[in-house]
Amino acid sequence: MEIRIGIAKANKYAVAECGDSFEVAERPRGGISAILADGQGSGKAAKQTSSLVVNRAASLIAEGVRDGAVARTVHDYLYAMKDGRVSSTLTILSADYDAQTLLFSRNSNCPVLVKTEFGITVYDEDVPSIGVHKYMKPLMNQVPLEVGTILVSYTDGIQAAGRKRGNAVDHGRILRLLEDNGPGDVEFIAENILEYALTLDDYRPGDDMTVVVMGVSDRDSTHRIQRFSVSFPY
Amino acid sequence: MEIRIGIAKANKYAVAECGDSFEVAERPRGGISAILADGQGSGKAAKQTSSLVVNRAASLIAEGVRDGAVARTVHDYLYAMKDGRVSSTLTILSADYDAQTLLFSRNSNCPVLVKTEFGITVYDEDVPSIGVHKYMKPLMNQVPLEVGTILVSYTDGIQAAGRKRGNAVDHGRILRLLEDNGPGDVEFIAENILEYALTLDDYRPGDDMTVVVMGVSDRDSTHRIQRFSVSFPY
């Protein structure tokens, strides 16, 4: 079995700093987590917020803290540090080998899409962002860790793409993309969703855009080689 | 300009936990860093050590701490926590946009190889690992942030590959690989060095093996899309 993660990200048009941040952390009891945050606003302040959120979450995951406690801890921290005045979304997608589940935690207005052998489910119940309410809980769900499963999430810039130009995201298109592709295609799925959103915004994104895709595929080699690659344009 | 990072990693033969850890962190003043650590020994204890080292280093980098202070802080922390009894290597490769340099910090018996337009330089001066000496300093070097530059580093499992079988790494082969490839080929370079080391060990690695390659290439698209992908075999 092999967990694959593909992430594609674009900045808001003409803004140097991206208010979305992500991080990937290895789980000490086995497995890997992808963490995605969209800080309130845009530019440097939003970047600092989301960067603080994902870094803190990644450290806690790597220390073995359970995902629900990670979301609560990071919320409390942000709430205390910024006096309840700065919000951030927080989505954690985890492949947990110990529990043999794919676990996902949402504090975001954006959904998590889950493709299993039984079809695609969209998890989009209302849940507040972190940082601004005295009490908050993450919405947590899990599915079995099985080959073929794909999890997708993204930030507001994807959700709202095209809105200022009278366009709207056709969610059916994203679902078809998921139907037509497998867990080995996570990079393609992430880039395709990002490209679609960029097109709706005429390649001048109205907000920071990030897509995260996690897939469970068969291992393509007998040797357990872990691979990791980054393209970071300047 | 685009910073590319390729990482390839294999566990010691028949050992579930890998004592090497790496992390990639975005620098708040612009740029990106790759952090590599090889914890003393192998198995779970080594993994915990190296994981603690790279997580702490990544958090500090993401908070804007300068690389030299990061290495010192992580050393002091490990030295205090483990009472000076547990060592770890620590190598940080940074593309620092603010200073317009490629900066690298070594506390490792393994070298950093640097390919620039003037040729390849091997930085392999002796420097202690972190965690075991009361006083320690990282060895730091920098080269200008220029398109075409490639940095390579790896852990002990690569350096010592084949030794138990009477083979030895032909460093000339690694240098030729660097000569023949460009900064867009970081993934290929990382995988090729790993595959070479695996071959010397008859695909039963005597130690954990990790290769990190960072390259500065021209941007291949007018749109600044950041990409990130992981394959994490189970």
Side-chain angles (χ1 to χ4, degrees), chain A residues 2 45 59 71 80 91 99 101 114 140 153 165 167 170 186 198 203 222:
Chain A
E2 185 157 272
S59 296
T91 302
T101 56
V114 180
M140 306 203 57
S153 197
R165 289 172 173 79
N167 300 325
D170 170 12
V186 292
L198 286 171
Y203 283 89
T222 48

Side-chain angles (χ1 to χ4, degrees), chain A residues 1-11 15-17 20-32 44 47-48 51 55-56 58-59 62-63 97-98 100 145 186-187 191 194-195 198 203 219 223-234, chain B residues 1-11 15-17 20-32 44 47-48 51 55-56 58-59 62-63 97-98 100 145 186-187 191 194-195 198 203 219 223-234:
Chain A
M1 193 182 277
E2 185 157 272
I3 309 300
R4 289 176 178 241
I5 302 172
I7 297 172
K9 182 164 172 250
N11 287 14
V15 175
E17 313 270 356
D20 294 350
S21 293
F22 63 84
E23 224 175 282
V24 170
E26 205 176 325
R27 302 172 71 83
R29 304 279 303 161
I32 192 164
K44 190 172 272 298
K47 184 200 172 96
Q48 282 172 345
S51 167
N55 291 323
R56 188 51 67 119
S59 296
E63 286 166 16
Y97 294 166
D98 199 33
Q100 284 290 308
L145 182 66
V186 292
E187 292 154 54
E191 292 208 23
L194 181 68
E195 284 285 343
L198 286 171
Y203 283 89
R219 219 197 303 163
H223 309 299
R224 283 179 52 198
I225 296 178
Q226 192 175 324
R227 293 181 182 83
F228 192 91
S229 76
V230 181
S231 311
F232 191 81
Y234 177 35
Chain B
M1 192 183 282
E2 186 158 89
I3 308 301
R4 289 174 179 242
I5 302 173
I7 298 172
K9 181 164 172 249
N11 287 14
V15 176
E17 313 270 357
D20 294 350
S21 293
F22 63 84
E23 226 175 278
V24 169
E26 205 176 325
R27 303 172 68 85
R29 304 278 303 162
I32 192 163
K44 190 171 272 298
K47 185 201 172 93
Q48 283 173 346
S51 167
N55 291 324
R56 187 52 68 115
S59 296
E63 286 165 17
Y97 295 166
D98 200 34
Q100 284 290 307
L145 182 66
V186 292
E187 291 153 56
E191 292 208 23
L194 181 69
E195 283 285 343
L198 286 172
Y203 283 90
R219 221 194 304 161
H223 310 300
R224 283 181 50 198
I225 296 178
Q226 192 176 325
R227 292 180 184 84
F228 191 91
S229 76
V230 181
S231 312
F232 191 80
Y234 176 34

Side-chain angles (χ1 to χ4, degrees), chain A:
Chain A
M1 193 182 277
E2 185 157 272
I3 309 300
R4 289 176 178 241
I5 302 172
I7 297 172
K9 182 164 172 250
N11 287 14
K12 180 172 174 173
Y13 183 66
V15 175
E17 313 270 356
C18 183
D20 294 350
S21 293
F22 63 84
E23 224 175 282
V24 170
E26 205 176 325
R27 302 172 71 83
R29 304 279 303 161
I32 192 164
S33 297
I35 302 147
L36 178 62
D38 178 357
Q40 186 178 336
S42 62
K44 190 172 272 298
K47 184 200 172 96
Q48 282 172 345
T49 301
S50 64
S51 167
L52 180 151
V53 165
V54 298
N55 291 323
R56 188 51 67 119
S59 296
L60 291 166
I61 292 279
E63 286 166 16
V65 179
R66 69 194 71 184
D67 296 37
V70 170
R72 287 166 170 86
T73 303
V74 176
H75 162 77
D76 290 348
Y77 175 67
L78 185 64
Y79 184 83
M81 288 298 114
K82 304 283 187 183
D83 212 16
R85 285 177 304 198
V86 177
S87 72
S88 174
T89 71
L90 173 62
T91 302
I92 307 174
L93 309 181
S94 294
D96 183 339
Y97 294 166
D98 199 33
Q100 284 290 308
T101 56
L102 288 163
L103 180 69
F104 45 101
S105 161
R106 282 179 60 235
N107 284 103
S108 172
N109 55 334
C110 294
V112 172
L113 316 180
V114 180
K115 177 186 177 184
T116 66
E117 57 176 322
F118 305 111
I120 299 173
T121 311
V122 178
Y123 293 83
D124 60 355
E125 299 145 87
D126 279 345
V127 58
S129 296
I130 66 169
V132 285
H133 299 287
K134 194 161 172 60
Y135 299 103
M136 87 89 207
K137 282 205 301 188
L139 272 183
M140 306 203 57
N141 291 92
Q142 55 186 327
V143 295
L145 182 66
E146 280 170 2
V147 170
T149 310
I150 305 175
L151 307 183
V152 177
S153 197
Y154 42 76
T155 56
D156 218 24
I158 301 286
Q159 183 100 315
R163 209 167 278 172
K164 288 176 190 157
R165 289 172 173 79
N167 300 325
V169 170
D170 170 12
H171 287 97
R173 190 189 177 286
I174 295 178
L175 297 181
R176 282 195 300 280
L177 180 72
L178 262 181
E179 274 162 18
D180 294 346
N181 287 281
D185 309 315
V186 292
E187 292 154 54
F188 173 77
I189 297 169
E191 292 208 23
N192 195 298
I193 295 176
L194 181 68
E195 284 285 343
Y196 171 54
L198 286 171
T199 315
L200 292 177
D201 268 347
D202 295 335
Y203 283 89
R204 296 182 175 191
D207 195 357
D208 304 311
M209 297 175 165
T210 310
V211 186
V212 178
V213 184
M214 179 182 278
V216 186
S217 65
D218 283 319
R219 219 197 303 163
D220 64 357
S221 144
T222 48
H223 309 299
R224 283 179 52 198
I225 296 178
Q226 192 175 324
R227 293 181 182 83
F228 192 91
S229 76
V230 181
S231 311
F232 191 81
Y234 177 35

